[in-house]
Amino acid sequence: MGELSGLRVAVAGLGPMGRGIARVFAQAGAAVAIVDVDEETTARGHAKILEDGPVDVTPAASVAEAARDADLFIEAIVERFEAKLALLDRIRAAGNAALVVASNTSSLSIGELGAAYGDPARVIGMHFFNPPTKMRLVEIIRGARTDPEVVDRARAWATGLGKTAVLCADSPNFIVNRVCRPLYYESQLLVTQGVPPAVVDAAVKGALGHRMGPLELLDFTGLHTHLGSSETALREFGDPRYRPIPLTRQLVRAGTTGRAAGRGYYDYALGKPREAQAEVVRQPKESAAKVQLYRTTTCTPEDVAAVRDLANQGRVAVDSSAGGWVEHLPDGVGWVRLHGRFAEVVDDPVAKIAPAHDVADALGVASVPVLALPGLVVDRLMQTMANEALTVVEEGTATGEDVNLALRLGMNHPVGPLEYLEQVGAPEVLAGLRALQEGFGDPRYRPAQLLVRQAAGSRR
């Protein structure tokens, strides 16, 4: 018997998400009814579910039939508010007063959906991640009027599926998509400022251990989808930090919306993104050049360890044109920035900075060339993500623990944004954001008040 034996579930919308949700509930022992816009579409969806292996799901002739005896109705239809409202009307008409209605929406307001349904206490968000059969995370979104008992039941159902549930107040983009907004925005802005997409993605994968770079991921999901969610975020929050990036709007208008279109931030006629990324990463080479530390010693293994420690604490600057010496310079200045076994090496003809490959080679680390922009690539992305994560905590949308968990499970990030903040320290992140704010004059980098307070507290 499965963990959810005896639970009766209806799933509407048999695209990839709906089919995956139906499968995981059936595998957990629930009795699952499925339905789509008509019987023919439902039958095709049923056949596709069975293509992935036998599972006990039952096609329903109508929404009313699926909803009538269910305990839980999950909608996974198209992400359009009007379409969801029409479906909610049909669910309500089935007359099942005990039914819990869950939306798999990734951005729409659960409170607004609940009010439209007419019984907001019984409407909740259960946001699964793609593919539901493999991804462990479910965001549970409570509307302002959702019954706490319904929240508890939804979390128990997610646990019964073998998933990890994180709780989120009803807020645009919830946790994962919200906290990742700066990751995507700053990556796009870096391209507009002259950093090639492959360099951005290679730096993120090499330094942070992400499985896909942010621009490669945007191409995969579709730039038009991201643009739509950006416009929603700007409208909902009314904060200029969420405004869409003009370059992405230009690409969408030109029909170059990503991988499916053959071109987005990458041109897929030229090869796969990972091939372009491999071309910009320099692997460490044997070098005859001597890298001197502090202008006094040659590069011994002990010196390498000392430089690595300094680099991990802050920035290490290298002037390869002056005999290959290394000195500690103020924050925000540097030619080489180490991240464990990976380095950003500044190569900026405008700033007259030559790449210091000798140091990367001497340290035995792979490197990628970046421009001398505030925060370079990696620090800029992580600092803005940490700031957004703190904003989510500050406003009470989610706990810090759930934020970290959501990013690790929902995006496969090795380190959550607030874990990163704890590792590097609030003063370092605050200084980085203020350098970005000063360098670009953009309100995107306004630090969260919670970050300001944490930084002040850590200095005492």
Side-chain angles (χ1 to χ4, degrees):
M1 300 293 285
E3 290 291 325
L4 299 181
S5 178
L7 179 68
R8 297 165 298 180
V9 178
V11 178
L14 299 180
M17 286 299 294
R19 296 196 303 268
I21 292 169
R23 172 169 284 276
V24 295
F25 271 97
Q27 289 174 332
V32 179
I34 56 174
V35 66
D36 212 310
V37 292
D38 53 41
E39 290 190 60
E40 181 179 347
T41 308
T42 301
R44 285 200 302 267
H46 185 221
K48 281 186 172 291
I49 291 173
L50 297 181
E51 285 176 6
D52 294 329
V55 69
D56 188 13
V57 296
T58 304
S62 66
V63 169
E65 180 182 308
R68 191 172 297 120
D69 297 319
D71 303 304
L72 169 65
F73 194 110
I74 302 179
E75 71 81 11
I77 67 170
V78 64
E79 190 77 344
R80 290 202 307 267
F81 193 72
E82 296 76 12
K84 293 186 187 294
L85 293 187
L87 176 62
L88 290 173
D89 285 342
R90 296 166 68 187
I91 297 171
R92 183 72 167 171
N96 184 348
L99 182 66
V100 171
V101 178
S103 174
N104 185 54
T105 180
S106 60
S107 62
L108 299 177
S109 168
I110 297 302
E112 194 170 2
L113 291 173
Y117 180 63
D119 188 0
R122 308 197 68 78
V123 176
I124 195 164
M126 292 185 71
H127 179 217
F128 290 77
F129 286 74
N130 196 22
T133 52
K134 295 182 179 179
M135 298 299 286
R136 293 168 51 198
L137 183 71
V138 179
E139 290 179 322
I140 305 295
I141 303 97
R142 63 178 189 273
R145 297 164 66 187
T146 303
D147 189 324
E149 191 268 339
V150 169
V151 175
D152 291 341
R153 290 172 68 187
R155 296 185 75 168
W157 291 330
T159 301
L161 295 173
K163 309 293 185 185
T164 299
V166 293
L167 184 60
C168 177
D170 190 16
S171 180
N173 296 148
F174 311 139
I175 300 175
V176 173
N177 290 334
R178 165 84 177 276
V179 175
C180 282
R181 299 217 74 80
L183 175 68
Y184 300 136
Y185 287 151
E186 295 305 314
S187 298
Q188 295 164 63
L189 285 170
L190 281 161
V191 175
T192 69
Q193 292 159 1
V195 182
V199 168
V200 175
D201 285 347
V204 169
K205 292 168 71 173
L208 300 177
H210 293 190
R211 294 183 184 179
M212 292 181 73
L215 296 169
E216 181 183 0
L217 184 56
L218 287 178
D219 268 5
F220 178 75
T221 57
L223 300 182
H224 56 300
T225 300
H226 169 74
L227 179 61
S229 66
S230 298
E231 290 171 337
T232 297
L234 178 61
R235 182 177 64 251
E236 291 291 327
F237 287 111
D239 188 326
R241 77 165 62 181
Y242 300 107
R243 65 192 186 280
I245 308 304
L247 176 57
T248 296
R249 193 184 299 281
Q250 294 167 13
L251 290 171
V252 171
R253 286 174 174 171
T256 50
T257 56
R259 191 173 79 170
R263 189 169 182 176
Y265 276 95
Y266 290 88
D267 185 344
Y268 292 82
L270 301 178
K272 297 178 179 179
R274 66 171 178 267
E275 295 167 351
Q277 294 157 19
E279 289 178 3
V280 301
V281 175
R282 174 187 169 99
Q283 298 300 328
K285 301 176 181 180
E286 292 292 333
S287 176
K290 291 183 178 180
V291 179
Q292 295 183 328
L293 310 185
Y294 322 122
R295 308 189 191 191
T296 57
T297 60
T298 56
C299 189
T300 66
E302 291 77 15
D303 295 328
V304 170
V307 171
R308 188 175 295 121
D309 286 344
L310 282 173
N312 287 334
Q313 294 170 17
R315 288 168 176 77
V316 169
V318 181
D319 184 353
S320 58
S321 65
W325 51 264
V326 179
E327 69 174 358
H328 212 183
L329 293 183
D331 284 348
V333 180
W335 285 262
V336 175
R337 175 72 167 101
L338 266 70
H339 306 275
R341 303 298 302 166
F342 194 86
E344 296 170 278
V345 178
V346 175
D347 180 7
D348 196 336
V350 175
K352 297 181 180 180
I353 299 173
H357 289 309
D358 288 343
V359 173
D361 290 343
L363 294 174
V365 299
S367 60
V368 67
V370 299
L371 296 179
L373 295 167
L376 303 182
V377 174
V378 176
D379 287 344
R380 177 173 171 178
L381 298 182
M382 285 306 300
Q383 288 166 357
T384 51
M385 282 185 67
N387 192 50
E388 191 71 23
L390 268 187
T391 302
V392 167
V393 173
E394 184 176 54
E395 68 193 20
T397 296
T399 66
E401 181 180 1
D402 275 359
V403 168
N404 285 328
L405 194 57
L407 271 293
R408 283 194 273 109
L409 296 183
M411 293 297 293
N412 293 307
H413 289 184
V415 176
L418 298 179
E419 292 171 319
Y420 159 83
L421 177 65
E422 185 174 346
Q423 290 172 4
V424 303
E428 171 80 7
V429 174
L430 179 60
L433 288 168
R434 285 178 169 164
L436 288 165
Q437 204 170 18
E438 181 179 353
F440 296 120
D442 195 320
R444 290 183 191 277
Y445 310 110
R446 182 181 71 252
Q449 283 303 304
L450 183 55
L451 175 63
V452 175
R453 295 198 301 273
Q454 287 187 0
S458 65
R459 293 192 185 102
R460 292 174 183 169

